[in-house]
Amino acid sequence: MRVIATPDATPTPAAPAPPTSLSVFLQIGRQVKKTTIELPTSLSNIKLSFMERFEYDPGKEDFPEVYIRDPRTGVQFELEDIDDLREGTVLSLNIEREFSLHRPFILLMSSS
């Protein structure tokens, strides 16, 4: 007698379609704005989102680095791989040094 294996009758579930966009948070200083990024995207498109949402213009300076916040640890690091983007990701610009250069220095003196 010959035994023939029959295929499993249960259908294999189809893989979910990859997302076509992501909702992310853009942060400059203390200001945070939510935006949608269409996929696939590039670092240039992300920088453009900062410029549009915040009316940010780096002027003649080089555009600051874009940082991403790791949701588990809270550590921010330079965004180098677009595949690190996830729904709800927080992206920020590394511009602290620019803010510190333009803040007025105020000296408070006590009268003693």
Side-chain angles (χ1 to χ4, degrees), residues 29-61:
R30 291 185 177 182
Q31 286 187 314
V32 179
K33 296 189 179 192
K34 186 176 182 180
T35 193
T36 301
I37 295 178
E38 299 300 320
L39 299 175
T41 193
S42 66
L43 192 53
S44 296
N45 286 344
I46 292 171
K47 290 177 179 181
L48 184 60
S49 293
F50 275 100
M51 293 173 72
E52 291 172 347
R53 295 291 288 148
F54 290 96
E55 297 180 7
Y56 176 74
D57 181 8
K60 294 180 182 179
E61 302 295 319

Side-chain angles (χ1 to χ4, degrees), residues 4-108:
I4 300 174
T6 58
D8 190 2
T10 54
T12 305
T20 58
S21 64
L22 292 175
S23 291
V24 298
F25 298 95
L26 304 178
Q27 180 176 10
I28 295 181
R30 291 185 177 182
Q31 286 187 314
V32 179
K33 296 189 179 192
K34 186 176 182 180
T35 193
T36 301
I37 295 178
E38 299 300 320
L39 299 175
T41 193
S42 66
L43 192 53
S44 296
N45 286 344
I46 292 171
K47 290 177 179 181
L48 184 60
S49 293
F50 275 100
M51 293 173 72
E52 291 172 347
R53 295 291 288 148
F54 290 96
E55 297 180 7
Y56 176 74
D57 181 8
K60 294 180 182 179
E61 302 295 319
D62 290 333
F63 202 94
E65 301 301 329
V66 176
Y67 276 58
I68 184 170
R69 182 176 301 147
D70 181 285
R72 286 185 306 110
T73 63
V75 172
Q76 291 187 347
F77 58 96
E78 187 177 338
L79 178 63
E80 297 175 309
D81 186 356
I82 295 298
D83 291 336
D84 287 339
L85 293 177
R86 301 285 182 264
E87 184 72 21
T89 294
V90 177
L91 300 171
S92 61
L93 294 184
N94 184 20
I95 56 175
E96 281 186 46
R97 66 178 187 271
E98 292 176 20
F99 282 142
S100 65
L101 291 176
H102 297 302
R103 282 189 200 144
F105 181 78
I106 300 174
L107 177 63
L108 299 176

